[in-house]
Amino acid sequence: MTTATDTPDGTARQTPPGPEDAPPLFGPGSQFHALFDDPRWALAMIRATVLEAAHPRIGAALIDNSTFVAHPWRRLRNTFLSMRRMFGADPEEREREAARLNRLHARMSGTDTRGRPYDAVDPEARAWVVATLFESAVTMCRLSGRPLDPAATERMYAEYRAFLAALDGDARHLPEELRDFWRYFDRVVEEELENTEAARVILYRLFDHLPAPALLDGVPTLWAAGRAVVGPVMGAITIASLPEPFRRRAGLPEMPGVPTLMQGAYIAAGLARFLPGDLLRAEAVIDLLSLTPGSDDPRARTVAALRARMQRAAALLRLLTPLAPDPDPEDGPEPAAGDGRRRTAEDFFRQVLDQTGDGYLDWPDLAAMARELATRLDLGEPEETRLYDAFAGWWRELQSALDADGDGRVSAAEYAAAVPSLSGPALIRVAEVLFAATDKDGNGTIDADEYRALFRTAFRRDVTTGDGGYARSAFVGDFLSFMSGRRAGTAYDPLLADA
């Protein structure tokens, strides 16, 4: 955009725009804001995540610390919320979110299976994460038949460099000029990416074993049938969209016809822009998938009716499919979700304790619990540190009591064999610290707003006291009952057990 000014002789002269005329790097008017709710992002985010996971240091951090396998929908919701904050117009919110992300990543370090160290605050690795997001956004536009023009691409690249600068204090690990970025991206793809375990999990295991979101949790047969069809297709589409040099080096197969299918998927996702705007808001879609019929959200009534229809469809599907074998009587009855019955020890281990989904309980699992609780409550540094320290104390107590073979982690078999009472002093400390973090005003009870911040729903009838608050003793008792009694269908399930 140019502006007209008057010359001394009275003629008009065109001058280039100044910095004050440029579109904003953050908030409404930015390229990111225009594309954030685009349905094509669903495909682009999967592609970007695979490219991130293929970086050895990032892949090792994901395998050791991330909950994307066991709790993908929760991870998706938190990721979208974080990106919304980071690219929002409020600089204070952006600074606070950047500080939270930096604290979160500072707690993730270790070595991969080949003994190579990784650190989640490594600036080169973080630059690669931002690079994959930018390149996948450009690629999604190209594959859907609506490529970005050069000016829009330049502007988007400036936004992503500003995003990296907001995290790291500067963006020097991404090239300053866009033309140099493409050489940087190609070099990393060709020289550094590997067929890591994390990348294989995303491409093959994640889609094949993706747990149902809360919306579809009551219709496992219908979800499994749909997943069996969509999962392999999504994996094939993602592989076909990856850079050819990486596919070749990683030995990823490309089946005939899949490139055409991939193109069609991106074009179809792009056509969704003609749907009503409310249906395209990413957070609204994720919130809807997270709703349960027992929620106080007005949309829950629609969800309940939809689930009833899906349950009827699932019943019809069961009539058309072979019968499953009868359950072993020794296994006992299956606990029904939401009825308050006790989980089996194996279910509790898988749904609650094993947050990373690797089949073991160790520190990253408890750190993931602390991370989710701190994220929900938007804790500052002192409160967050106290919560992590409380969970670290609980881990030391668990390790001492349950790690029979001394390998530094607790297997499902070790846990099931012990069937311990987990409500020791360290877990009581966790409950007390969590209560204090939730009780923002420090008045000794959790009010309705504080309760919603933690549980994302209104008070349950069975946890309120006469004055309408949630007393400390009741909170601690309920938390210990959930963590040691292994009861399903409580207010605490959405915190740590939901997918």
Side-chain angles (χ1 to χ4, degrees):
M1 174 181 174
T2 59
T3 57
T5 59
D6 290 334
T7 63
D9 62 2
T11 60
R13 178 178 60 199
Q14 299 295 320
T15 58
E20 68 278 3
D21 300 316
L25 291 174
F26 299 102
S30 66
Q31 285 291 322
F32 178 86
H33 189 271
L35 292 175
F36 184 78
D37 292 321
D38 194 311
R40 296 174 296 173
W41 258 114
L43 299 171
M45 284 289 288
I46 297 171
R47 179 184 185 276
T49 304
V50 173
L51 290 173
E52 294 169 21
H55 192 290
R57 280 169 283 177
I58 300 172
L62 285 173
I63 284 294
D64 287 349
N65 300 278
S66 180
T67 62
F68 74 94
V69 173
H71 302 277
W73 301 105
R74 190 176 75 193
R75 167 70 187 275
L76 178 65
R77 189 183 195 281
N78 290 342
T79 298
F80 268 88
L81 177 60
S82 179
M83 293 184 71
R84 180 73 86 183
R85 290 171 174 172
M86 286 299 298
F87 278 97
D90 185 350
E92 292 184 2
E93 183 178 58
R94 186 162 55 250
E95 183 177 343
R96 186 168 60 250
E97 179 64 12
R100 187 188 72 83
L101 290 173
N102 286 332
R103 293 195 304 270
L104 182 155
H105 291 135
R107 294 184 171 96
M108 299 180 184
S109 60
T111 57
D112 65 12
T113 55
R114 294 166 57 180
R116 296 175 295 186
Y118 70 81
D119 190 328
V121 294
D122 172 43
E124 292 183 359
R126 295 178 78 165
W128 177 246
V129 171
V130 176
T132 63
L133 291 171
F134 165 72
E135 190 274 344
S136 291
V138 174
T139 298
M140 83 174 186
C141 293
R142 174 176 55 82
L143 292 177
S144 59
R146 292 188 293 144
L148 295 173
D149 62 54
T153 307
E154 290 273 4
R155 193 64 194 171
M156 181 179 284
Y157 184 60
E159 293 170 9
Y160 276 95
R161 289 193 83 246
F163 170 49
L164 180 60
L167 281 175
D168 284 355
D170 61 65
R172 69 181 184 276
H173 290 282
L174 279 182
E176 185 173 351
E177 299 295 331
L178 179 59
R179 63 176 179 272
D180 297 323
F181 168 81
W182 299 115
R183 289 193 289 270
Y184 154 81
F185 184 86
D186 291 341
R187 179 189 61 77
V188 175
V189 168
E190 294 177 5
E191 298 178 7
E192 298 187 33
L193 299 193
E194 300 175 2
N195 188 5
T196 63
E197 180 185 357
R200 293 193 299 272
V201 166
I202 297 169
L203 288 172
Y204 302 113
R205 178 182 168 190
L206 180 61
F207 292 125
D208 289 345
H209 300 87
L210 187 68
L215 174 65
L216 302 176
D217 192 43
V219 285
T221 303
L222 192 62
W223 173 258
R227 183 179 59 191
V229 175
V230 176
V233 173
M234 288 298 298
I237 288 174
T238 304
I239 290 174
S241 70
L242 296 173
E244 193 276 334
F246 173 65
R247 295 202 311 269
R248 184 178 63 251
R249 291 181 62 239
L252 298 175
E254 183 179 312
M255 296 179 290
V258 171
T260 303
L261 178 63
M262 171 195 66
Q263 191 95 31
Y266 274 92
I267 292 174
L271 293 176
R273 69 185 184 277
F274 296 111
L275 294 172
D278 288 345
L279 297 178
L280 297 181
R281 289 183 57 246
E283 287 180 53
V285 173
I286 295 172
D287 286 344
L288 181 63
L289 290 172
S290 302
L291 282 178
T292 60
S295 171
D296 66 309
D297 191 297
R299 295 172 297 176
R301 291 189 295 272
T302 303
V303 171
L306 181 59
R307 281 169 63 107
R309 290 179 179 271
M310 289 188 294
Q311 285 170 343
R312 288 196 292 270
L316 176 61
L317 184 62
R318 284 195 296 271
L319 292 175
L320 301 177
T321 55
L323 294 176
D326 292 333
D328 189 335
E330 295 183 359
D331 293 337
E334 284 291 321
D339 65 357
R341 295 173 61 184
R342 292 176 65 88
R343 289 184 174 96
T344 65
E346 292 80 5
D347 285 341
F348 181 68
F349 186 93
R350 175 177 53 83
Q351 296 171 1
V352 179
L353 296 180
D354 183 15
Q355 291 282 306
T356 59
D358 64 353
Y360 293 91
L361 170 63
D362 52 13
W363 167 240
D365 296 300
L366 271 65
M369 295 182 195
R371 185 165 65 244
E372 173 61 19
L373 296 171
T375 298
R376 283 179 175 245
L377 296 172
D378 195 19
L379 297 183
E381 193 279 330
E383 296 85 359
E384 183 183 276
T385 298
R386 281 195 287 271
L387 188 63
Y388 271 89
D389 288 346
F391 271 97
W394 187 36
W395 166 237
R396 289 191 293 271
E397 186 175 84
L398 288 173
Q399 190 176 25
S400 174
L402 304 181
D403 183 16
D405 59 9
D407 64 352
R409 57 187 184 176
V410 177
S411 68
E414 286 174 329
Y415 172 79
V419 191
S421 172
L422 299 181
S423 53
L427 184 58
I428 295 173
R429 174 62 179 163
V430 170
E432 292 175 339
V433 171
L434 179 58
F435 177 87
T438 307
D439 179 21
K440 296 288 188 180
D441 57 12
N443 67 351
T445 61
I446 294 174
D447 61 28
D449 291 338
E450 292 165 343
Y451 187 93
R452 182 176 288 280
L454 180 62
F455 294 104
R456 293 178 181 154
T457 189
F459 274 132
R460 293 170 61 102
R461 288 189 298 273
D462 57 344
V463 299
T464 55
T465 60
D467 60 0
Y470 197 3
R472 173 179 177 141
S473 59
F475 180 95
V476 171
D478 289 344
F479 184 81
L480 296 180
S481 176
F482 170 74
M483 295 302 297
S484 60
R486 300 182 292 278
R487 289 193 177 275
T490 74
Y492 295 85
D493 273 58
L495 285 177
L496 301 173
D498 278 4

